[in-house]
Amino acid sequence: MVIGRFAPSPTGPLHFGSLVAAVASYCDARSQGGQWLLRMEDVDTTRRVAGASDEIIAALHRYGFVWDGEMIYQSRRSDLYQQALDFLRDKNLAYPCTCSRKEIADSSTRQGIEGAIYPGTCRQHPAKAGIPAAWRLQTSDKDICFQDKVQGRQQHTMATDIGDFVIKRADGLFSYQLAVVVDDALQGVTHVVRGADLLHSTTRQIYLQQLLGYATPVYAHIPLVMNTAGQKLSKQNLAKALPADNVETVLIEALRFLQQPLPDNIHTRSLHAIWQWAYTHWQLPKNTIAHGKASHQW
Ligand SMILES: [Zn+2]
């Protein structure tokens, strides 16, 4: 059984970039007769915007998405994430860290794929008492590689490309990396189709899956929608909310962005018929262009 999922963050309304990701994962799952789950990624409660998750649900309904089962909220699943952390801690794979950002920047001697690599200070010396501690995963020299269905072969060496990364923050919130791995595993997700901005997170997630004894899904990272300034469409750079009307036209634009070979008369079809066409003809986009061009007005 194929199980796909869409996991928006309720930090604002859905925009064209998030619609493209939703359409891709939906078509991927439905074209294989699979299920499609919805998960609200609100693990970082400090970024949550009031009313945004209801708005996202309403927009998904309007665009004709139908999901299987109950939608889950990460903010209600802390116990499950804590169990995973306890498991790692019991195996001496996680340790508390009280280093400040500045201390890490000053003592790091190595650059990884996302900036300064944590030098392992608190792995060698106990974390300072009386200060809230983050929890870091102890990484090894292991190479993690996977074959992305769109982006091709990817590989990172955990200790030297990533370093010991935070799985629970000092403010008590679990990291995205841990939460998403626990959720994908417990929901039985087999196919992850999402934006290429998460491509570099995937080796960390696979590494966690291996440590926690979980299966690794199939991954496909689709090209990102950029705005005219060449930035990824996002809530941070004020991407517009999806229009409430002309949903057929917007859906067709999303399919066009995803390089689907649309028939000439697609514009004459109903929303339902467009979806029917989409998952009967679905093929993953190619990575011929690293980032798609925003050819739409939204
Ligand atoms: Zn530390």
Side-chain angles (χ1 to χ4, degrees), residues 117-118 136-137 139 157-165 204:
I117 286 201
Y118 179 68
R136 284 184 186 273
L137 185 75
T139 53
T157 304
M158 296 318 291
T160 51
D161 289 331
I162 312 279
D164 294 357
F165 57 96
R204 260 166 285 183

Side-chain angles (χ1 to χ4, degrees), residues 97-99 118 121-122:
C97 168
T98 48
C99 297
Y118 179 68
T121 321
C122 298

Side-chain angles (χ1 to χ4, degrees), residues 1 20 33 37 46 64 69-70 75 84 90 100 114-116 122 143 145 162 167 191 193 207 223 231 233:
M1 170 57 105
V20 163
L37 311 179
T46 61
E70 285 282 297
S75 57
D90 291 348
S100 67
E114 284 180 354
C122 298
D143 288 331
C145 51
I162 312 279
I167 49 177
H191 287 65
V193 179
Y207 187 60
Q231 305 160 310
L233 279 197

Side-chain angles (χ1 to χ4, degrees), residues 7-255:
S9 306
T11 53
L14 278 193
H15 53 73
F16 187 71
S18 34
L19 177 72
V20 163
V23 169
S25 66
Y26 194 70
C27 290
D28 188 72
R30 294 293 189 227
S31 66
Q32 300 177 78
Q35 293 188 346
W36 189 71
L37 311 179
L38 190 57
R39 174 199 310 155
M40 208 48 81
E41 287 199 333
D42 57 352
V43 70
D44 186 351
T45 48
T46 61
R47 292 178 58 225
R48 199 160 56 184
V49 173
S53 61
D54 289 344
E55 246 181 284
I56 289 170
I57 293 164
L60 290 172
H61 276 305
R62 210 161 37 235
Y63 277 81
F65 291 92
V66 181
W67 50 93
D68 295 287
E70 285 282 297
M71 183 181 64
I72 63 168
Y73 289 85
Q74 286 187 326
S75 57
R76 300 174 191 165
R77 293 165 67 83
S78 299
D79 290 353
L80 299 168
Y81 309 143
Q82 185 64 48
Q83 282 169 25
L85 172 56
D86 292 345
F87 177 89
L88 295 167
R89 191 196 52 200
D90 291 348
K91 289 193 168 318
N92 289 322
L93 292 168
Y95 60 90
C97 168
T98 48
C99 297
S100 67
R101 216 165 273 198
K102 182 171 188 320
E103 283 170 328
I104 295 170
D106 290 350
S107 56
S108 175
T109 55
R110 218 184 167 114
Q111 289 295 305
I113 58 164
E114 284 180 354
I117 286 201
Y118 179 68
T121 321
C122 298
R123 194 204 294 186
Q124 285 127 23
H125 313 282
K128 298 174 206 113
I131 314 176
W135 283 83
R136 284 184 186 273
L137 185 75
Q138 184 165 330
T139 53
S140 68
D141 286 334
K142 189 165 185 174
D143 288 331
I144 298 287
C145 51
F146 69 101
Q147 192 67 30
D148 189 89
K149 290 277 190 195
V150 177
Q151 311 284 336
R153 189 173 186 278
Q154 309 292 318
Q155 177 175 348
H156 290 134
T157 304
M158 296 318 291
T160 51
D161 289 331
I162 312 279
D164 294 357
F165 57 96
V166 171
I167 49 177
K168 188 180 187 182
R169 294 167 21 175
D171 61 7
L173 295 175
F174 289 93
S175 77
Y176 160 75
Q177 307 291 0
L178 183 67
V180 76
V181 163
V182 170
D183 289 339
D184 282 342
L186 296 187
Q187 292 192 286
V189 170
T190 61
H191 287 65
V192 175
V193 179
R194 59 186 178 188
D197 52 333
L198 290 165
L199 182 64
H200 280 174
S201 286
T202 307
T203 50
R204 260 166 285 183
Q205 294 173 15
I206 294 173
Y207 187 60
L208 275 167
Q209 286 156 7
Q210 294 180 356
L211 296 177
L212 291 163
Y214 297 152
T216 291
V218 173
Y219 286 98
H221 287 85
I222 56 167
L224 294 176
V225 183
M226 314 298 265
N227 64 19
T228 44
Q231 305 160 310
K232 179 204 159 198
L233 279 197
S234 72
K235 290 143 193 170
Q236 287 72 39
N237 56 44
L238 305 175
K240 281 186 222 163
L242 286 173
D245 49 7
N246 288 326
V247 293
E248 294 85 357
T249 310
V250 184
L251 176 59
I252 289 166
E253 281 310 309
L255 291 166

